[in-house]
Amino acid sequence: MKLVIGNRSYSSWSLRGWLAARQSGLAFETEVVPLYVGNWDEAKGAIPTLAPSAGKVPVLWTEEGGGEGVVWDSLAILEILADKVGRDRFWPKADAPRGMARALVAEMHAGFHALRSELPFNLRMAPIAKPLSPAVRADVDRILTLWAQARARFGQGGPFLFGTFGAADIFYAPVVVRFRQYGVPVPGFAAAYMDAVWDHEWLEAWRGAAAEEPWAIPQFDAAAGV
């Protein structure tokens, strides 16, 4: 398999796709595409591995059974990988926690637009305490409520949302980064959960690789106050 991702410092969706690939346990190659270099509208069209996604990342390429497969969108990638290795590797086994985990992932995948736009994902920035707009505060409160419910009902088996690391943690990992980078105040249970995600070996590896990347996107850094 080959997973095509964007700059690790900026691409939260790439992080989700990459964590899903790691969670699958399958071997895969990573191709990093520096985003927004030069005339991006033209440049992305010249990158063959991005053609099916119209320049969006991540993109998963597979070869099996004599055919080539391509999947874009991080949730679609996670589900395809779950089909390959067994859904229990990503989702809780029991119906009740599995249903809740799917709802949490779907809400993250489709929502929290104020959080995304006003607290952009950026691992190049030094942590700052940024005042939150009412819209971002509403997103934060909703996320904390979801985390609290998951931890209280189904988190007894470990430090993650449903005990063991899985799809919900993959989708909220970029939120953990945002909360830390922008100094979002959280209660103790959420701080403990965030520490577990931040200290996970895969997120440590992602942060280390991001620090080695030479590319910067000035407009993204300016938005984050870098």
Side-chain angles (χ1 to χ4, degrees), residues 56-205:
K56 297 178 181 179
V57 289
V59 182
L60 181 70
W61 291 85
T62 61
E63 288 187 15
E64 57 182 294
E68 186 175 57
V70 59
V71 184
W72 56 97
D73 182 274
S74 57
L75 182 53
I77 288 170
L78 184 149
E79 293 287 25
I80 287 295
L81 293 170
D83 288 343
K84 291 179 179 294
V85 301
R87 311 197 69 75
D88 291 351
R89 187 180 283 265
F90 289 89
W91 302 101
K93 294 181 180 180
D95 289 348
R98 186 172 64 252
M100 186 177 186
R102 289 186 182 281
L104 261 68
V105 167
E107 189 163 346
M108 181 69 254
H109 190 256
F112 304 117
H113 301 295
L115 178 75
R116 298 179 197 275
S117 63
E118 296 183 39
L119 305 184
F121 185 91
N122 193 317
L123 283 168
R124 298 184 68 248
M125 64 183 287
I128 59 173
K130 183 174 181 177
L132 305 181
S133 71
V136 172
R137 172 48 64 186
D139 280 353
V140 170
D141 289 346
R142 175 58 179 166
I143 289 168
L144 292 176
T145 297
L146 294 174
W147 287 2
Q149 291 174 350
R151 290 291 300 149
R153 293 183 62 192
F154 303 116
Q156 295 79 12
F160 300 104
L161 290 177
F162 294 86
T164 58
F165 190 82
D169 308 296
I170 288 169
F171 267 74
Y172 283 89
V175 174
V176 169
V177 173
R178 286 180 162 98
F179 282 9
R180 288 181 63 101
Q181 296 296 82
Y182 293 98
V184 175
V186 299
F189 86 89
Y193 168 65
M194 288 168 56
D195 286 344
V197 173
W198 185 260
D199 294 335
H200 193 289
E201 62 178 323
W202 296 340
L203 191 53
E204 286 185 344

